[in-house]
Amino acid sequence: MGKNRKRKNAKTVQKTVGKEQKFKVANHKFQNMLKEKTKPAKTKTANKKIEKVQEWVNETKKSELTSKKNEAPTSLRERMMERLHGAHFRFLNEQLYTAEGSKSIKMFTKNPEAFTAYHEGFQQQVQQWEFNPLDLIIANIKKKGSDLVIADFGCGDARLSFSVQNKVHSFDLVAMNENVTVCDMTHTPLPNSSVDIAVFCLSLMGTNLSEFILEANRVLKPGGTLKIAEVESRFDGEKGLNSFIYGVTKHGFKLASKNLTKTYFYFLDFKKTLSIDAKKKLPQLKLKPCMYKRR
């Protein structure tokens, strides 16, 4: 009976080592892929890479579920899973910040599971912050009254729409629930001058920021409010912040207020002063990409 028990334990150890080796191989391949990428990928190439990454993640998840049925998870396996998911999130995040919005929507339309993976990774980042900037925006909107119409650009899971009594139009690249309208945020389905507040909360992503602000100008009513919340480091110091504010004012807005007191985040409110012709030549708005470091 003792020999049988030893044989059983030996087989369990062999299975565990074999699964851990698979995790190592998948993670090693993915890390090499990231090292080889020296510039923003074209949409077609990015889609192929994301599909490959998704296959690795799905395979790893299946292996993890099977392992949980047969034995308790090992610390090595958990570390491998966390590392693989983290690398996947960082790859998708870089694609969003270094490509035009139209290319990002094509990428996620073809592979919506990748958007879910990105959102899950983003939520893990949010949990590490001292506070969520969206909470401040929600509190501010509640003070203004429930009769105001809001457009939430890059809404994610549309938490803003569930948190206030106002009519909220929630836009993003993929619909995570019934409140989200899928669209290219440079061309929303809203009529001209139809909303009172336009919100960009950590959603000015991509290389065509000016087009996003122009769309906000189009849908806002005269005197409407543009609310922007972004990571402090994206402005690259006071000079970068002033340059960004100046650029937004050239898109038909006037700075109404700024809150630079919150840790890690800047909050900027602008008032729409005039409607801008989208064909007019305007200064290009620029912000540094927000890249998350490997932990």
Side-chain angles (χ1 to χ4, degrees):
M1 187 173 180
K3 292 182 179 179
N4 291 335
R5 185 175 297 173
K6 288 181 180 179
R7 291 195 191 98
K8 187 176 181 180
N9 290 338
K11 290 181 180 180
T12 302
V13 170
Q14 289 175 352
K15 288 181 180 179
T16 301
V17 172
K19 288 165 184 170
E20 290 170 354
Q21 186 62 30
K22 287 182 179 179
F23 292 140
K24 286 182 179 180
V25 171
N27 186 61
H28 179 68
K29 287 181 179 179
F30 183 59
Q31 293 299 331
N32 285 339
M33 185 185 72
L34 289 181
K35 290 179 181 178
E36 291 173 0
K37 186 172 71 60
T38 58
K39 61 182 181 179
K42 295 182 179 179
T43 305
K44 187 174 181 181
T45 304
N47 284 336
K48 290 182 179 179
K49 289 183 178 180
I50 288 178
E51 288 173 359
K52 195 170 184 179
V53 171
Q54 192 63 47
E55 289 177 4
W56 289 341
V57 172
N58 290 338
E59 181 181 347
T60 309
K61 285 182 178 180
K62 290 179 182 178
S63 180
E64 183 191 39
L65 292 173
T66 304
S67 300
K68 285 183 177 181
K69 291 179 181 179
N70 299 328
E71 59 193 56
T74 66
S75 58
L76 177 59
R77 182 183 302 106
E78 291 173 349
R79 289 199 302 271
M80 284 299 183
M81 282 296 298
E82 183 178 353
R83 188 174 300 173
L84 187 59
H85 290 162
H88 190 197
F89 165 73
R90 290 193 298 275
F91 173 77
L92 294 172
N93 183 72
E94 183 172 346
Q95 296 301 309
L96 286 170
Y97 276 105
T98 57
E100 287 189 4
S102 58
K103 292 183 178 180
S104 296
I105 192 170
K106 289 178 181 178
M107 179 175 66
F108 286 129
T109 298
K110 185 174 182 180
N111 191 351
E113 293 81 7
F115 185 84
T116 301
Y118 171 80
H119 185 71
E120 290 175 351
F122 178 75
Q123 289 303 317
Q124 290 179 359
Q125 297 294 327
V126 171
Q127 292 173 9
Q128 299 174 29
W129 299 342
E130 293 183 8
F131 81 103
N132 188 336
L134 183 59
D135 292 334
L136 192 63
I137 291 176
I138 290 172
N140 181 268
I141 290 175
K142 286 183 176 180
K143 293 178 182 178
K144 292 180 178 294
S146 59
D147 57 326
L148 301 179
V149 180
I150 301 166
D152 187 5
F153 291 79
C155 64
D157 58 4
R159 187 164 74 88
L160 174 58
S161 68
F162 291 104
S163 303
V164 298
Q165 296 180 350
N166 305 64
K167 171 63 178 178
V168 180
H169 300 281
S170 303
F171 303 111
D172 216 321
L173 305 178
V174 175
M176 298 197 69
N177 55 57
E178 67 281 359
N179 282 18
V180 182
T181 299
V182 176
C183 70
D184 180 344
M185 288 179 290
T186 63
H187 298 89
T188 66
L190 294 174
N192 294 345
S193 304
S194 57
V195 303
D196 299 286
I197 301 174
V199 176
F200 286 89
C201 184
L202 309 182
S203 56
L204 285 175
M205 309 172 77
T207 58
N208 55 327
L209 303 186
S210 294
E211 294 181 40
F212 296 142
I213 301 303
L214 276 176
E215 180 64 1
N217 179 275
R218 182 186 72 80
V219 303
L220 277 169
K221 299 175 183 177
T225 300
L226 168 64
K227 302 181 76 66
I228 296 175
E230 270 300 340
V231 179
E232 175 187 354
S233 60
R234 295 198 66 197
F235 295 96
D236 198 19
E238 184 177 357
K239 184 178 180 180
L241 173 63
N242 292 334
S243 176
F244 179 79
I245 292 174
Y246 172 78
V248 175
T249 62
K250 290 298 182 180
H251 287 67
F253 293 96
K254 177 183 178 180
L255 180 66
S257 66
K258 59 181 179 181
N259 183 348
L260 313 181
T261 64
K262 299 298 181 182
T263 306
Y264 303 124
F265 303 106
Y266 282 171
F267 296 84
L268 305 173
D269 279 12
F270 296 87
K271 179 180 179 180
K272 178 179 174 179
T273 55
L274 71 156
S275 297
I276 295 294
D277 185 351
K279 297 180 181 179
K280 182 179 179 181
K281 188 175 181 179
L282 297 167
Q284 290 299 306
L285 297 173
K286 293 183 179 181
L287 289 174
K288 291 179 63 178
C290 182
M291 300 301 184
Y292 295 95
K293 297 179 181 180
R294 177 178 175 180
R295 296 181 180 275

